[in-house]
Amino acid sequence: MKLGELEFHILSMGHVLLDGGAMFGVIPKPMWEKKMSPDARNRITLSMNSLLIHAGGKRILVETGAGDKMNAKLRDIYGLDGPFLDTELRKYDLQPADIDIVVNTHLHFDHCGGNTRVEKDKAVPAFLNARYVVHRAEYDHAMDPTERDRASYFPENYVPVREAGQFDLLYADAVIAPGVELVRLPGHVPDMFGVKLTGGGQTALLFGDLVPTTAHLPLPWIMGYDLYPMMTLENKKRWIPQVVREGWLALFAHDDRVPAAYVRERNGQWETEPVTVG
Ligand SMILES: [Zn+2]
């Protein structure tokens, strides 16, 4: 898809299966299972969507999926089927070494597991020529998570990148290439970035985990995983109406069926109009 000079594609880094109850917080199961039906272990299927962006002569990859470093037990718990990084990049005649900038909206394993790969029993950066970008406070948090969110953070996904001197840790919103802006969307974690793409008079917004799937558009549909659900609520109230009003294309990090859609208001409800992004 093109937005003026800027071009982007949605890549699938595979699937992760997460507990349906945890994914929908206070929403009762009879409601959420109508939208996403769980398997025998009560898990729903989420995809790990990445963006490949060409902007200002840079090749930018947003999110790297869960990677391939997890042990068999965890791969089973999370139903991981990836990694598809190499095959997805190959569709565009690219290899990891061709990527200039890697963006992690935050450092949960399903967003940054592909940052590194194992070489001779050691995790090393998978993108040799890239600068990696994440919010500094999220990096600090990932180095010392709480008891409540420790299970989502695996230092081998980001410490080797820091040790290789490849991280650019950001303190605030930043334009990282023409038409590519990282905007802080707190709630899921306090310092998560969303990615706003602009060009040719059009705008697209990757919500990160603020609105992980189209099913999470209604305001109270907030993940149980969120550290600050009231902050999520506040940011959903701020950003979704803007997406609707200004006709932005919404990009969903975990929606397997509708990774991109316009959101329209009809009879006081938000409805999606799916868009195919190659
Ligand atoms: Zn996620």
Side-chain angles (χ1 to χ4, degrees), residues 11-16 47-50 61-69 80 82-85 103-104 108-116 127 157 254:
L11 313 186
S12 175
M13 296 293 164
H15 297 91
V16 57
S47 67
M48 294 178 283
N49 300 324
S50 290
L61 183 69
V62 181
E63 315 288 45
T64 61
D68 60 358
K69 299 185 302 302
L80 298 178
F84 301 121
L85 172 69
V103 175
N104 298 137
H108 287 167
F109 71 86
D110 54 319
H111 297 258
C112 71
N115 279 6
T116 60
F127 302 88
N157 293 334
H254 288 302

mmCIF file of all heavy atoms in Angstrom, residues 11-16 47-50 61-69 80 82-85 103-104 108-116 127 157 254:
data_model
loop_
_atom_site.group_PDB
_atom_site.id
_atom_site.type_symbol
_atom_site.label_atom_id
_atom_site.label_comp_id
_atom_site.label_asym_id
_atom_site.label_seq_id
_atom_site.Cartn_x
_atom_site.Cartn_y
_atom_site.Cartn_z
ATOM 1 N N LEU A 11 3.341 -7.894 7.127
ATOM 2 C CA LEU A 11 3.938 -9.233 7.119
ATOM 3 C C LEU A 11 3.360 -10.015 8.305
ATOM 4 O O LEU A 11 3.109 -9.446 9.361
ATOM 5 C CB LEU A 11 5.461 -9.172 7.282
ATOM 6 C CG LEU A 11 6.261 -8.179 6.446
ATOM 7 C CD1 LEU A 11 7.752 -8.407 6.683
ATOM 8 C CD2 LEU A 11 5.939 -8.312 4.972
ATOM 9 N N SER A 12 3.190 -11.311 8.122
ATOM 10 C CA SER A 12 2.751 -12.114 9.256
ATOM 11 C C SER A 12 3.927 -12.907 9.815
ATOM 12 O O SER A 12 4.544 -13.698 9.116
ATOM 13 C CB SER A 12 1.632 -13.081 8.860
ATOM 14 O OG SER A 12 1.355 -13.899 9.990
ATOM 15 N N MET A 13 4.216 -12.686 11.076
ATOM 16 C CA MET A 13 5.306 -13.406 11.736
ATOM 17 C C MET A 13 4.799 -14.686 12.392
ATOM 18 O O MET A 13 5.473 -15.263 13.239
ATOM 19 C CB MET A 13 5.977 -12.514 12.769
ATOM 20 C CG MET A 13 6.647 -11.295 12.171
ATOM 21 S SD MET A 13 8.069 -11.762 11.141
ATOM 22 C CE MET A 13 8.314 -10.248 10.220
ATOM 23 N N GLY A 14 3.579 -15.099 12.044
ATOM 24 C CA GLY A 14 3.025 -16.324 12.596
ATOM 25 C C GLY A 14 1.958 -16.034 13.633
ATOM 26 O O GLY A 14 1.450 -14.915 13.734
ATOM 27 N N HIS A 15 1.630 -17.071 14.404
ATOM 28 C CA HIS A 15 0.521 -16.966 15.346
ATOM 29 C C HIS A 15 0.963 -17.220 16.780
ATOM 30 O O HIS A 15 1.954 -17.895 17.023
ATOM 31 C CB HIS A 15 -0.579 -17.972 14.969
ATOM 32 C CG HIS A 15 -1.168 -17.685 13.632
ATOM 33 N ND1 HIS A 15 -0.678 -18.244 12.478
ATOM 34 C CD2 HIS A 15 -2.174 -16.862 13.264
ATOM 35 C CE1 HIS A 15 -1.368 -17.785 11.437
ATOM 36 N NE2 HIS A 15 -2.276 -16.942 11.886
ATOM 37 N N VAL A 16 0.206 -16.649 17.687
ATOM 38 C CA VAL A 16 0.397 -16.913 19.105
ATOM 39 C C VAL A 16 -1.002 -17.141 19.682
ATOM 40 O O VAL A 16 -1.945 -16.435 19.328
ATOM 41 C CB VAL A 16 1.161 -15.750 19.796
ATOM 42 C CG1 VAL A 16 0.454 -14.412 19.616
ATOM 43 C CG2 VAL A 16 1.388 -16.021 21.282
ATOM 44 N N SER A 47 -2.647 -13.287 15.420
ATOM 45 C CA SER A 47 -1.468 -13.270 14.550
ATOM 46 C C SER A 47 -0.487 -12.231 15.074
ATOM 47 O O SER A 47 -0.845 -11.366 15.873
ATOM 48 C CB SER A 47 -1.861 -12.988 13.102
ATOM 49 O OG SER A 47 -2.335 -11.685 13.009
ATOM 50 N N MET A 48 0.739 -12.366 14.669
ATOM 51 C CA MET A 48 1.756 -11.375 15.022
ATOM 52 C C MET A 48 2.076 -10.635 13.732
ATOM 53 O O MET A 48 2.828 -11.122 12.892
ATOM 54 C CB MET A 48 2.988 -12.062 15.607
ATOM 55 C CG MET A 48 2.678 -12.736 16.946
ATOM 56 S SD MET A 48 4.084 -13.625 17.660
ATOM 57 C CE MET A 48 4.120 -15.110 16.665
ATOM 58 N N ASN A 49 1.442 -9.483 13.549
ATOM 59 C CA ASN A 49 1.603 -8.724 12.310
ATOM 60 C C ASN A 49 2.747 -7.725 12.428
ATOM 61 O O ASN A 49 2.863 -7.030 13.426
ATOM 62 C CB ASN A 49 0.306 -7.988 11.982
ATOM 63 C CG ASN A 49 -0.865 -8.936 11.795
ATOM 64 O OD1 ASN A 49 -0.699 -10.028 11.267
ATOM 65 N ND2 ASN A 49 -2.043 -8.527 12.232
ATOM 66 N N SER A 50 3.560 -7.699 11.410
ATOM 67 C CA SER A 50 4.646 -6.723 11.338
ATOM 68 C C SER A 50 4.386 -5.785 10.172
ATOM 69 O O SER A 50 3.641 -6.117 9.258
ATOM 70 C CB SER A 50 5.988 -7.414 11.074
ATOM 71 O OG SER A 50 6.402 -8.139 12.196
ATOM 72 N N LEU A 61 11.362 -2.172 9.678
ATOM 73 C CA LEU A 61 10.522 -3.299 10.096
ATOM 74 C C LEU A 61 9.970 -2.991 11.482
ATOM 75 O O LEU A 61 10.733 -2.733 12.418
ATOM 76 C CB LEU A 61 11.340 -4.594 10.137
ATOM 77 C CG LEU A 61 10.549 -5.854 10.495
ATOM 78 C CD1 LEU A 61 9.581 -6.228 9.378
ATOM 79 C CD2 LEU A 61 11.492 -7.028 10.778
ATOM 80 N N VAL A 62 8.647 -2.995 11.607
ATOM 81 C CA VAL A 62 8.016 -2.744 12.900
ATOM 82 C C VAL A 62 7.530 -4.070 13.456
ATOM 83 O O VAL A 62 6.702 -4.733 12.829
ATOM 84 C CB VAL A 62 6.819 -1.777 12.757
ATOM 85 C CG1 VAL A 62 6.184 -1.509 14.123
ATOM 86 C CG2 VAL A 62 7.237 -0.471 12.092
ATOM 87 N N GLU A 63 8.053 -4.476 14.595
ATOM 88 C CA GLU A 63 7.748 -5.745 15.275
ATOM 89 C C GLU A 63 8.460 -6.897 14.571
ATOM 90 O O GLU A 63 8.521 -6.955 13.348
ATOM 91 C CB GLU A 63 6.242 -6.056 15.355
ATOM 92 C CG GLU A 63 5.356 -4.894 15.767
ATOM 93 C CD GLU A 63 5.457 -4.487 17.217
ATOM 94 O OE1 GLU A 63 6.577 -4.373 17.747
ATOM 95 O OE2 GLU A 63 4.394 -4.240 17.823
ATOM 96 N N THR A 64 8.949 -7.822 15.401
ATOM 97 C CA THR A 64 9.705 -8.944 14.828
ATOM 98 C C THR A 64 9.124 -10.309 15.217
ATOM 99 O O THR A 64 9.768 -11.328 15.033
ATOM 100 C CB THR A 64 11.191 -8.869 15.264
ATOM 101 O OG1 THR A 64 11.270 -8.953 16.699
ATOM 102 C CG2 THR A 64 11.850 -7.581 14.797
ATOM 103 N N GLY A 65 7.898 -10.334 15.745
ATOM 104 C CA GLY A 65 7.267 -11.612 16.096
ATOM 105 C C GLY A 65 7.932 -12.272 17.295
ATOM 106 O O GLY A 65 8.686 -11.632 18.037
ATOM 107 N N ALA A 66 7.630 -13.551 17.489
ATOM 108 C CA ALA A 66 8.126 -14.248 18.683
ATOM 109 C C ALA A 66 9.493 -14.907 18.474
ATOM 110 O O ALA A 66 10.104 -15.397 19.415
ATOM 111 C CB ALA A 66 7.115 -15.296 19.140
ATOM 112 N N GLY A 67 9.949 -14.926 17.214
ATOM 113 C CA GLY A 67 11.270 -15.500 16.956
ATOM 114 C C GLY A 67 11.299 -17.012 17.130
ATOM 115 O O GLY A 67 10.254 -17.671 17.147
ATOM 116 N N ASP A 68 12.509 -17.548 17.280
ATOM 117 C CA ASP A 68 12.625 -19.015 17.327
ATOM 118 C C ASP A 68 13.451 -19.499 18.520
ATOM 119 O O ASP A 68 13.971 -20.598 18.520
ATOM 120 C CB ASP A 68 13.241 -19.527 16.017
ATOM 121 C CG ASP A 68 14.620 -18.958 15.766
ATOM 122 O OD1 ASP A 68 15.089 -18.124 16.589
ATOM 123 O OD2 ASP A 68 15.238 -19.318 14.753
ATOM 124 N N LYS A 69 13.551 -18.673 19.558
ATOM 125 C CA LYS A 69 14.414 -19.057 20.677
ATOM 126 C C LYS A 69 13.676 -19.754 21.817
ATOM 127 O O LYS A 69 14.301 -20.223 22.753
ATOM 128 C CB LYS A 69 15.139 -17.815 21.213
ATOM 129 C CG LYS A 69 16.040 -17.139 20.183
ATOM 130 C CD LYS A 69 16.848 -15.985 20.766
ATOM 131 C CE LYS A 69 16.010 -14.895 21.375
ATOM 132 N NZ LYS A 69 15.045 -14.267 20.446
ATOM 133 N N LEU A 80 2.959 -21.449 19.206
ATOM 134 C CA LEU A 80 3.730 -20.711 18.192
ATOM 135 C C LEU A 80 3.952 -21.557 16.938
ATOM 136 O O LEU A 80 4.261 -22.741 17.033
ATOM 137 C CB LEU A 80 5.092 -20.296 18.764
ATOM 138 C CG LEU A 80 5.058 -19.342 19.965
ATOM 139 C CD1 LEU A 80 6.481 -19.064 20.444
ATOM 140 C CD2 LEU A 80 4.349 -18.042 19.613
ATOM 141 N N GLY A 82 5.647 -19.888 14.116
ATOM 142 C CA GLY A 82 6.681 -19.197 13.328
ATOM 143 C C GLY A 82 8.030 -19.862 13.503
ATOM 144 O O GLY A 82 8.084 -21.002 13.944
ATOM 145 N N PRO A 83 9.139 -19.239 13.218
ATOM 146 C CA PRO A 83 9.163 -17.860 12.711
ATOM 147 C C PRO A 83 9.067 -17.828 11.192
ATOM 148 O O PRO A 83 9.482 -18.773 10.528
ATOM 149 C CB PRO A 83 10.535 -17.373 13.176
ATOM 150 C CG PRO A 83 11.387 -18.603 13.152
ATOM 151 C CD PRO A 83 10.486 -19.756 13.484
ATOM 152 N N PHE A 84 8.518 -16.746 10.680
ATOM 153 C CA PHE A 84 8.396 -16.593 9.238
ATOM 154 C C PHE A 84 9.144 -15.374 8.721
ATOM 155 O O PHE A 84 8.918 -14.929 7.600
ATOM 156 C CB PHE A 84 6.912 -16.509 8.850
ATOM 157 C CG PHE A 84 6.127 -17.717 9.263
ATOM 158 C CD1 PHE A 84 5.038 -17.608 10.108
ATOM 159 C CD2 PHE A 84 6.490 -18.974 8.807
ATOM 160 C CE1 PHE A 84 4.315 -18.737 10.500
ATOM 161 C CE2 PHE A 84 5.777 -20.110 9.185
ATOM 162 C CZ PHE A 84 4.690 -19.981 10.030
ATOM 163 N N LEU A 85 10.004 -14.844 9.575
ATOM 164 C CA LEU A 85 10.706 -13.610 9.209
ATOM 165 C C LEU A 85 11.412 -13.713 7.857
ATOM 166 O O LEU A 85 11.184 -12.897 6.961
ATOM 167 C CB LEU A 85 11.720 -13.253 10.306
ATOM 168 C CG LEU A 85 12.667 -12.096 9.992
ATOM 169 C CD1 LEU A 85 11.901 -10.790 9.946
ATOM 170 C CD2 LEU A 85 13.788 -12.014 11.019
ATOM 171 N N VAL A 103 11.735 -1.415 14.642
ATOM 172 C CA VAL A 103 10.977 -0.753 15.705
ATOM 173 C C VAL A 103 10.277 -1.815 16.546
ATOM 174 O O VAL A 103 9.636 -2.709 16.007
ATOM 175 C CB VAL A 103 9.900 0.196 15.109
ATOM 176 C CG1 VAL A 103 9.028 0.787 16.214
ATOM 177 C CG2 VAL A 103 10.552 1.306 14.289
ATOM 178 N N ASN A 104 10.422 -1.720 17.855
ATOM 179 C CA ASN A 104 9.627 -2.539 18.776
ATOM 180 C C ASN A 104 8.646 -1.594 19.474
ATOM 181 O O ASN A 104 9.079 -0.685 20.181
ATOM 182 C CB ASN A 104 10.497 -3.210 19.846
ATOM 183 C CG ASN A 104 11.529 -4.184 19.291
ATOM 184 O OD1 ASN A 104 12.682 -4.200 19.738
ATOM 185 N ND2 ASN A 104 11.147 -5.001 18.335
ATOM 186 N N HIS A 108 7.427 -6.967 24.875
ATOM 187 C CA HIS A 108 6.833 -8.293 25.119
ATOM 188 C C HIS A 108 7.325 -9.242 24.031
ATOM 189 O O HIS A 108 7.542 -8.832 22.882
ATOM 190 C CB HIS A 108 5.306 -8.208 25.106
ATOM 191 C CG HIS A 108 4.741 -7.539 26.332
ATOM 192 N ND1 HIS A 108 3.443 -7.124 26.424
ATOM 193 C CD2 HIS A 108 5.325 -7.224 27.518
ATOM 194 C CE1 HIS A 108 3.219 -6.596 27.623
ATOM 195 N NE2 HIS A 108 4.348 -6.633 28.302
ATOM 196 N N PHE A 109 7.441 -10.529 24.397
ATOM 197 C CA PHE A 109 8.126 -11.471 23.500
ATOM 198 C C PHE A 109 7.485 -11.592 22.123
ATOM 199 O O PHE A 109 8.168 -11.891 21.149
ATOM 200 C CB PHE A 109 8.225 -12.860 24.152
ATOM 201 C CG PHE A 109 6.912 -13.590 24.248
ATOM 202 C CD1 PHE A 109 6.447 -14.351 23.180
ATOM 203 C CD2 PHE A 109 6.140 -13.530 25.404
ATOM 204 C CE1 PHE A 109 5.224 -15.021 23.255
ATOM 205 C CE2 PHE A 109 4.917 -14.200 25.485
ATOM 206 C CZ PHE A 109 4.461 -14.939 24.411
ATOM 207 N N ASP A 110 6.165 -11.351 22.061
ATOM 208 C CA ASP A 110 5.486 -11.518 20.764
ATOM 209 C C ASP A 110 5.714 -10.325 19.839
ATOM 210 O O ASP A 110 5.245 -10.319 18.701
ATOM 211 C CB ASP A 110 3.989 -11.801 20.959
ATOM 212 C CG ASP A 110 3.288 -10.760 21.820
ATOM 213 O OD1 ASP A 110 3.883 -10.326 22.831
ATOM 214 O OD2 ASP A 110 2.153 -10.372 21.487
ATOM 215 N N HIS A 111 6.448 -9.330 20.320
ATOM 216 C CA HIS A 111 6.756 -8.153 19.497
ATOM 217 C C HIS A 111 8.237 -8.017 19.185
ATOM 218 O O HIS A 111 8.613 -7.264 18.290
ATOM 219 C CB HIS A 111 6.248 -6.883 20.194
ATOM 220 C CG HIS A 111 4.761 -6.874 20.346
ATOM 221 N ND1 HIS A 111 3.933 -6.145 19.534
ATOM 222 C CD2 HIS A 111 3.949 -7.581 21.185
ATOM 223 C CE1 HIS A 111 2.667 -6.380 19.865
ATOM 224 N NE2 HIS A 111 2.657 -7.241 20.868
ATOM 225 N N CYS A 112 9.084 -8.724 19.947
ATOM 226 C CA CYS A 112 10.523 -8.514 19.744
ATOM 227 C C CYS A 112 11.345 -9.804 19.766
ATOM 228 O O CYS A 112 12.571 -9.748 19.750
ATOM 229 C CB CYS A 112 11.070 -7.535 20.794
ATOM 230 S SG CYS A 112 11.142 -8.231 22.447
ATOM 231 N N GLY A 113 10.646 -10.970 19.761
ATOM 232 C CA GLY A 113 11.377 -12.235 19.827
ATOM 233 C C GLY A 113 12.305 -12.455 18.644
ATOM 234 O O GLY A 113 13.326 -13.138 18.754
ATOM 235 N N GLY A 114 11.936 -11.870 17.492
ATOM 236 C CA GLY A 114 12.779 -12.008 16.301
ATOM 237 C C GLY A 114 13.921 -11.009 16.237
ATOM 238 O O GLY A 114 14.700 -11.020 15.279
ATOM 239 N N ASN A 115 14.039 -10.164 17.267
ATOM 240 C CA ASN A 115 15.161 -9.202 17.301
ATOM 241 C C ASN A 115 16.513 -9.902 17.237
ATOM 242 O O ASN A 115 17.471 -9.373 16.707
ATOM 243 C CB ASN A 115 15.143 -8.418 18.620
ATOM 244 C CG ASN A 115 14.164 -7.263 18.617
ATOM 245 O OD1 ASN A 115 13.390 -7.091 17.669
ATOM 246 N ND2 ASN A 115 14.205 -6.474 19.673
ATOM 247 N N THR A 116 16.546 -11.085 17.877
ATOM 248 C CA THR A 116 17.811 -11.813 17.971
ATOM 249 C C THR A 116 17.595 -13.248 17.517
ATOM 250 O O THR A 116 16.456 -13.725 17.442
ATOM 251 C CB THR A 116 18.338 -11.833 19.431
ATOM 252 O OG1 THR A 116 17.362 -12.468 20.260
ATOM 253 C CG2 THR A 116 18.616 -10.432 19.957
ATOM 254 N N PHE A 127 19.375 -8.575 12.932
ATOM 255 C CA PHE A 127 19.461 -7.553 11.889
ATOM 256 C C PHE A 127 20.799 -6.830 12.043
ATOM 257 O O PHE A 127 20.939 -5.897 12.834
ATOM 258 C CB PHE A 127 18.285 -6.581 12.012
ATOM 259 C CG PHE A 127 16.954 -7.270 11.914
ATOM 260 C CD1 PHE A 127 16.345 -7.788 13.058
ATOM 261 C CD2 PHE A 127 16.324 -7.447 10.695
ATOM 262 C CE1 PHE A 127 15.127 -8.451 12.984
ATOM 263 C CE2 PHE A 127 15.110 -8.110 10.595
ATOM 264 C CZ PHE A 127 14.516 -8.613 11.747
ATOM 265 N N ASN A 157 15.929 -11.345 24.087
ATOM 266 C CA ASN A 157 15.360 -10.658 22.920
ATOM 267 C C ASN A 157 15.895 -9.238 22.748
ATOM 268 O O ASN A 157 15.759 -8.659 21.677
ATOM 269 C CB ASN A 157 13.831 -10.582 23.024
ATOM 270 C CG ASN A 157 13.169 -11.949 22.920
ATOM 271 O OD1 ASN A 157 13.733 -12.860 22.325
ATOM 272 N ND2 ASN A 157 11.992 -12.085 23.497
ATOM 273 N N HIS A 254 -2.528 -7.751 16.154
ATOM 274 C CA HIS A 254 -2.792 -9.164 16.453
ATOM 275 C C HIS A 254 -4.026 -9.739 15.760
ATOM 276 O O HIS A 254 -4.433 -10.849 16.074
ATOM 277 C CB HIS A 254 -2.938 -9.363 17.967
ATOM 278 C CG HIS A 254 -1.647 -9.234 18.718
ATOM 279 N ND1 HIS A 254 -0.548 -10.024 18.442
ATOM 280 C CD2 HIS A 254 -1.266 -8.415 19.736
ATOM 281 C CE1 HIS A 254 0.444 -9.701 19.268
ATOM 282 N NE2 HIS A 254 0.037 -8.724 20.056
#
